[in-house]
Amino acid sequence: MRPLNTEFNGDFEVPTLTEVIDLVKDVEAETGQKIGIYPETKHPTYFAKEGTQLDGTPINTDLSQLLIDTLVENDFTDPDRIFIQSFEIENLLQLQTEIMPAAGVDIPLVQLLGDFTRTEGSFSFPYDVIYNFSSENENANPEVYADFPIEVSADTDYGQLANPEVVNFIGANYAEGLGPWKNSFLLREGLDEPVDGNGDGKAEITSQLTGEVLPLIDWAHDAGLQVHPYTLRNEERFLTLNADGTPQTPEDEFRQLIDLGVDGFFTDFPATGRIVVDQEIELPNLPTSRGFEGMAYSPDLTTLYPLLEGTVTGDPENALRIYEFDVAAGEYTGLVGFYPKDEPNHAIGDFTPINETQFLVIERDGGQGASAEFKKIFKVDISQVDEAGFVAKEELVDLLDIEDPNDLNNDGSTEFDFPFVTIEDVLVLDETTILVANDNNYPFSLGRGPDIDNNEIIQIELAEPLALADEIGLPGDNGGEVIVGTDESESLVGTDSDETLLALGGNDTVAGGLGADKIEGNDGNDLLRGDLNERLSGDQGSDDTISGGAGNDRIGGKAGNDELYGDAGNDRIWGDQGDDLIRGGLGNDKLYGDTGNSSGGLDTFVLAAGEGTDTIVDFEVGIDLIGLADGLTFSDLTLEPQLGNLAVITGDETLALVLGVEALTEVDFTLV
């Protein structure tokens, strides 16, 4: 299970309890921190009454007495720094009533509890009970359990001890804590097929929480007992699925137990536990808020509007706080108001701007498929707040009842629904169109059924137009048509209007018309042209913005004052006619300001640290400029002549090689 452990084989001896206490004292002296220990009496009945040495002589060792003697001898008996635990009952009773009083110490005891069921291979019975109710054992002593509130017999298992009466008896008579096996009270059921929860290709999760929790923690706390469940581990084989079918992470398991009220826990991974505990003991200043889920912004990008996921204690039960945050000042400037959920148990998905005061919110229930009853998008107006502090709210789309007059999904119906448990995204494309997408929680979501859900992205035409701010809408939309490609290699050609042309996957050819276009190549080795689909630069065209995206692209601005970005990949970029801004981006790019048949323009070749080494082919001193981006300044540069060319260097990195140029001065550079 943990093969790396074997690298320590043979390096160490098993330490004695005295050596462990010595280690604790040494570390305390070095750090000034008090450290506790948590010893267990392992199988005490066997060692005291039943076990033999290899030669057949009885072991005859009272582990409880030996433990207390060792603690006293080492002057380590502070009850605030020790728990003593055992799966057996008799030795804990002896410790409490005989051994510790005789030694003059009083250390808290913990009754460990095994499996509450009797499944095959389980550890369901206290061993001392089995021994003491066997007539074959001459040292059997069943009277030790005479005062228990239930009749103890050879058939008594840990499940019968897990009831309020017995727990009260334990707390009143001999222990200060319970140590239950986590699976005994966080009820779960087996899976027909194991599940791969962490994506490593190994399906090792074999159970799923039912959502039912045995109230053992409440019983224990009512009896004055602490609860310390065991053992939390990071390996997938020890984890489970949540009741909703999603994998429970190690951190989630710690948080679940903390939320249920445990007082501590055992783990083989203390770093994981420490992180979660540190997060929990730093109590949130707004309990139950669950942090921010939605994050809208003002159209001018100066203000953020964070929306909480949970209701803050003391607020109305259906209220979610909307805050206002000043980006430039880096500080919160107030509470805008409450978003009013239709039902307190609903969740929100996204929070998206329409204009300065109006926003879209996804609100949904926890159901999916046939059980989904509420999946809606609302328009809210933060300029309208009622006396209770709630912002105005208006239903915009019922995602479980969408008109589909052309049966776009070919299901034979003119109605379409979006019945997913987590609908996470809404974007405004234009005044009458929104985009909505779900998070499919792969592979556990079956909203569409019977197969595992895909991530679906749908466009919805609204019955009434939104009052859209100029800055809101499809990025780069100049008011003209949006042309979107597919994942295949293809050719997209625009018209003379202002357009947005978006290629997707594949090696595409994308050419704008004579309008002011925005062109994005995205993935693939693309050929991107600003004006007309031909090689010559021409003298007709508008100001275009072209982004290559990933891949080794060829980009030509052609006519107009264009902005050309290679992005990732080793690109070749021509500005052609006009005053162009050219930035290669990540990769070793080749940048041309003007082609041989175009007249010279004032071109700016943009450089930044960490983006590779560009080759600037036709830099015209006194006309063109080198732009410095992302905090780079002229004082950061070294200009080094190299065989008739000029290297632009910062630190150990060559940013560019300017061909045919041997010297430049500060006037040839600009900040962008």
Side-chain angles (χ1 to χ4, degrees), residues 537-610:
S537 63
D539 57 4
Q540 290 184 307
S542 299
D543 303 339
D544 304 309
T545 300
I546 305 178
S547 301
N552 304 323
D553 306 307
R554 290 177 295 157
I555 302 173
K558 307 187 76 177
N561 303 323
D562 305 311
E563 294 185 15
L564 311 173
Y565 304 92
D567 298 330
N570 301 323
D571 308 306
R572 299 176 69 186
I573 307 176
W574 290 266
D576 295 325
Q577 301 275 11
D579 301 336
D580 304 309
L581 182 145
I582 305 171
R583 182 169 182 173
L586 295 173
N588 302 320
D589 308 302
K590 212 163 196 179
L591 312 180
Y592 305 80
D594 307 300
T595 56
N597 64 337
S598 63
S599 59
L602 192 164
D603 301 313
T604 301
F605 301 89
V606 180
L607 305 178

Side-chain angles (χ1 to χ4, degrees), residues 229-251:
Y230 64 92
T231 299
L232 281 69
R233 298 181 169 107
N234 286 10
E235 287 97 356
E236 184 175 271
R237 71 182 66 186
F238 297 112
L239 300 176
T240 187
L241 301 182
N242 291 307
D244 65 3
T246 57
Q248 188 179 68
T249 67
E251 294 82 2

Side-chain angles (χ1 to χ4, degrees), residues 626 634 637-641 646-649 662-666 669:
I626 294 179
F634 183 75
L637 303 179
T638 299
L639 305 179
E640 182 178 298
L646 187 68
V648 181
I649 301 170
E662 295 186 343
L664 292 174
T665 65
E666 189 170 357
F669 293 80

Side-chain angles (χ1 to χ4, degrees), residues 133-390:
F133 281 93
S134 174
S135 58
E136 300 176 0
N137 297 326
E138 59 178 301
N139 295 319
N141 181 23
E143 294 302 314
V144 72
Y145 316 104
D147 294 333
F148 262 68
I150 62 171
E151 183 177 349
V152 180
S153 69
D155 205 39
T156 300
D157 59 27
Y158 287 115
Q160 293 169 278
L161 301 182
N163 67 69
E165 293 76 22
V166 174
V167 171
N168 280 329
F169 176 83
I170 292 172
N173 289 276
Y174 67 90
E176 283 73 29
L178 296 181
W181 185 41
K182 61 178 184 177
N183 295 16
S184 288
F185 67 97
L186 299 176
L187 302 188
R188 61 196 70 202
E189 56 191 4
L191 300 174
D192 293 334
E193 295 290 337
V195 169
D196 178 9
N198 57 15
D200 65 354
K202 298 178 182 178
E204 297 181 291
I205 295 179
T206 59
S207 67
Q208 179 172 345
L209 294 172
T210 66
E212 184 180 0
V213 179
L214 190 70
L216 182 68
I217 298 172
D218 292 336
W219 298 340
H221 287 170
D222 289 344
L225 296 168
Q226 295 192 36
V227 181
H228 307 157
Y230 64 92
T231 299
L232 281 69
R233 298 181 169 107
N234 286 10
E235 287 97 356
E236 184 175 271
R237 71 182 66 186
F238 297 112
L239 300 176
T240 187
L241 301 182
N242 291 307
D244 65 3
T246 57
Q248 188 179 68
T249 67
E251 294 82 2
D252 289 340
E253 187 172 41
F254 281 103
R255 292 190 185 98
Q256 180 186 21
L257 289 168
I258 292 172
D259 290 343
L260 289 171
V262 302
D263 304 284
F265 28 64
F266 286 90
T267 178
D268 291 352
F269 294 84
T272 304
R274 181 76 266 159
I275 290 170
V276 177
V277 168
D278 285 347
Q279 292 171 342
E280 293 299 324
I281 63 177
E282 292 291 336
L283 294 176
N285 61 341
L286 296 176
T288 72
S289 72
R290 300 173 64 190
F292 294 125
E293 178 68 11
M295 181 73 77
Y297 55 89
S298 62
D300 64 4
L301 306 180
T302 62
T303 307
L304 299 178
Y305 296 100
L307 173 60
L308 291 179
E309 184 177 19
T311 299
V312 173
T313 301
D315 289 348
E317 64 177 1
N318 68 326
L320 299 180
R321 292 188 178 189
I322 305 172
Y323 285 94
E324 185 176 76
F325 184 87
D326 187 309
V327 175
E331 61 186 17
Y332 290 95
T333 54
L335 180 66
V336 174
F338 298 124
Y339 172 78
K341 293 187 292 182
D342 272 37
E343 296 291 340
N345 63 342
H346 284 176
I348 62 107
D350 204 357
F351 191 32
T352 300
I354 301 171
N355 53 48
E356 290 79 3
T357 62
Q358 294 180 327
F359 301 82
L360 299 182
V361 177
I362 299 171
E363 183 178 339
R364 59 180 193 253
D365 63 12
Q368 61 177 324
S371 67
E373 298 180 350
F374 193 100
K375 314 285 183 183
K376 294 184 178 182
I377 296 175
F378 291 93
K379 180 172 66 175
V380 299
D381 192 332
I382 63 173
S383 68
Q384 301 180 38
V385 181
D386 66 17
E387 293 181 357
F390 289 105

Side-chain angles (χ1 to χ4, degrees), residues 43-45 86-89 111-133 145 152-161 181 184 230:
H43 218 4
T45 297
S86 179
F87 277 102
E88 298 185 14
I89 299 170
Q111 177 68 68
L112 294 175
L113 300 173
D115 190 355
F116 293 173
T117 68
R118 297 189 184 184
T119 54
E120 184 178 352
S122 69
F123 47 111
S124 297
F125 300 89
Y127 188 78
D128 61 305
V129 173
I130 296 174
Y131 181 91
N132 284 325
F133 281 93
Y145 316 104
V152 180
S153 69
D155 205 39
T156 300
D157 59 27
Y158 287 115
Q160 293 169 278
L161 301 182
W181 185 41
S184 288
Y230 64 92

